[in-house]
């Protein structure tokens, strides 16, 4: 699978195992620093620098990305002139068992900030019930979509999404799914005709005050908790919520 775009000139090709390190380097300077929830949590604040490129990184997020890469389903857009990576989509096969793995990853995550993001993803998974709802046993999931800042607005995100949908069809997946934490990626999904099946406003996703005890009675404690609960994420506008999108693949 190989697609060359005319203007601007970029090529979309599969990510190979030997590409993993440069994909991670690309993500450290794009997705790691500009994804809305990463920014809202200050995910990279105080994190050690990666020895490969000197950029701050989150080990838990790195591990999450490399697990997705291990499925060998990811795509990258490269500058047709110099071969530099300018866009990436991390794709992976998802199964009902994988939903349990996500919940376990969240529970065991050693980074308290990234743990919050994983908990949100696991929450969406439980709410959507995609496998039961669509009666499928596997699907192709886009976990991360990232485009170099200088290449945004030039059709690259749309091209990466369309190529992933074509990949899903060729590999026999009956369903494609993506959860969008960014308003920009959500708009990209709508442009290619994906169906929105779930939305959660960040202001409605609240945290519990774990320090509360039942010292004043259960009812009083519950009321106190309800008053103290506050949004887990407060990203800057226009990022108001997370949305789940799907597309059923005809013929599969």
């Amino acid at each position: 699978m190989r697609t060359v775009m005319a203007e601007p000139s970029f090529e979309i090709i599969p990510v190979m195992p030997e590409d993993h390190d440069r994909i991670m380097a690309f993500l450290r300077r794009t997705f790691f620093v500009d994804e809305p929830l990463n920014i809202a949590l200050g995910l990279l604040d105080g994190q050690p620098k990666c020895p490969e490129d000197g950029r701050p990184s989150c080990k838990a997020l790195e591990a999450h990305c490399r697990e997705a890469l291990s499925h060998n389903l990811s795509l990258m857009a490269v500058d047709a002139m110099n071969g530099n990576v300018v866009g990436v989509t991390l794709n992976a096969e998802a199964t009902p068992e994988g939903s349990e793995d996500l919940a376990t990853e969240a529970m065991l995550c050693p980074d308290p900030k990234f743990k919050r993001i994983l908990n949100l993803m696991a929450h969406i998974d439980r709410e959507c019930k995609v496998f039961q709802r669509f009666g499928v046993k596997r699907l192709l999931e886009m976990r991360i979509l990232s485009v170099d800042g200088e290449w945004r607005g030039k059709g690259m995100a749309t091209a990466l999404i369309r190529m992933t949908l074509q990949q899903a069809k060729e590999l026999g997946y009956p369903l494609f799914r993506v959860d969008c934490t960014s308003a920009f990626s959500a708009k990209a999904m709508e442009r290619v005709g994906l169906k929105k099946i779930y939305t959660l406003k960040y202001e409605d996703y609240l945290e519990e005050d774990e320090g509360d005890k039942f010292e004043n009675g259960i009812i009083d404690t519950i009321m106190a908790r309800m008053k103290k609960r506050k949004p887990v994420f407060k990203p800057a506008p226009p990022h108001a919520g997370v949305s789940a999108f799907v597309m059923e693949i005809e013929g599969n």
Side-chain angles (χ1 to χ4, degrees):
M1 179 170 49
R2 183 176 290 260
T3 296
V4 179
M5 309 305 294
E7 290 294 337
S9 184
F10 61 88
E11 184 180 16
I12 297 177
I13 58 177
V15 173
M16 306 303 290
E18 57 267 26
D19 298 315
H20 288 188
D21 286 345
R22 68 174 182 148
I23 294 300
M24 292 307 306
F26 172 80
L27 291 173
R28 284 186 211 106
R29 67 177 179 82
T30 55
F31 182 84
F32 281 36
V33 298
D34 59 24
E35 195 281 327
L37 299 190
N38 294 351
I39 296 173
L41 292 176
L43 184 65
L44 298 183
D45 293 350
Q47 295 280 14
K49 293 182 178 180
C50 180
E52 287 84 354
D53 54 22
R55 293 180 179 275
S57 187
C58 170
K59 289 185 178 180
L61 177 53
E62 290 243 359
H64 185 76
C65 292
R66 288 189 180 275
E67 193 283 327
L69 286 168
S70 72
H71 289 244
N72 295 318
L73 295 168
S74 298
L75 303 173
M76 62 181 177
V78 298
D79 187 326
M81 296 295 292
N82 56 31
N84 291 338
V85 178
V86 291
V88 165
T89 174
L90 298 192
N91 303 326
E93 178 172 299
T95 63
E97 295 75 22
S99 297
E100 298 176 6
D101 292 341
L102 177 60
T104 300
E105 182 184 3
M107 182 177 63
L108 299 178
C109 181
D111 187 291
K113 293 179 180 178
F114 189 58
K115 185 185 188 78
R116 290 183 168 188
I117 295 176
L118 290 175
N119 279 333
L120 173 63
M121 295 297 101
H123 174 80
I124 295 168
D125 212 41
R126 291 191 297 271
E127 291 294 308
C128 288
K129 297 181 173 62
V130 172
F131 295 101
Q132 300 94 316
R133 183 170 177 176
F134 292 93
V136 299
K137 295 183 178 179
R138 67 183 192 122
L139 58 84
L140 185 63
E141 179 177 54
M142 181 181 287
R143 295 188 183 175
I144 288 177
L145 172 63
S146 187
V147 173
D148 186 289
E150 295 183 0
W151 288 78
R152 291 173 188 168
K154 299 178 180 179
M156 182 178 295
T158 299
L160 283 164
I161 297 166
R162 291 191 184 282
M163 184 57 66
T164 300
L165 289 170
Q166 180 61 33
Q167 179 187 47
K169 184 175 181 63
E170 292 176 356
L171 295 176
Y173 288 101
L175 193 71
F176 169 74
R177 173 191 175 172
V178 56
D179 297 336
C180 298
T181 57
S182 161
F184 304 134
S185 59
K187 286 182 179 179
M189 301 307 160
E190 291 173 344
R191 280 197 299 269
V192 297
L194 268 69
K195 178 183 178 182
K196 185 188 298 185
I197 61 168
Y198 178 79
T199 298
L200 174 63
K201 292 182 179 180
Y202 290 127
E203 64 183 19
D204 294 332
Y205 183 66
L206 308 177
E207 65 182 5
E208 295 278 355
D209 183 351
E210 296 178 351
D212 282 335
K213 304 296 181 182
F214 296 117
E215 295 174 355
N216 299 318
I218 294 177
I219 300 299
D220 288 343
T221 300
I222 291 175
M223 293 302 295
R225 284 182 175 177
M226 290 178 67
K227 292 179 181 178
K228 291 182 179 180
R229 294 174 74 192
K230 56 185 179 180
V232 177
F233 306 104
K234 295 181 179 180
H239 311 294
V242 56
S243 298
F245 292 85
V246 300
M247 178 175 282
E248 295 182 87
I249 309 300
E250 294 183 8
N252 291 349

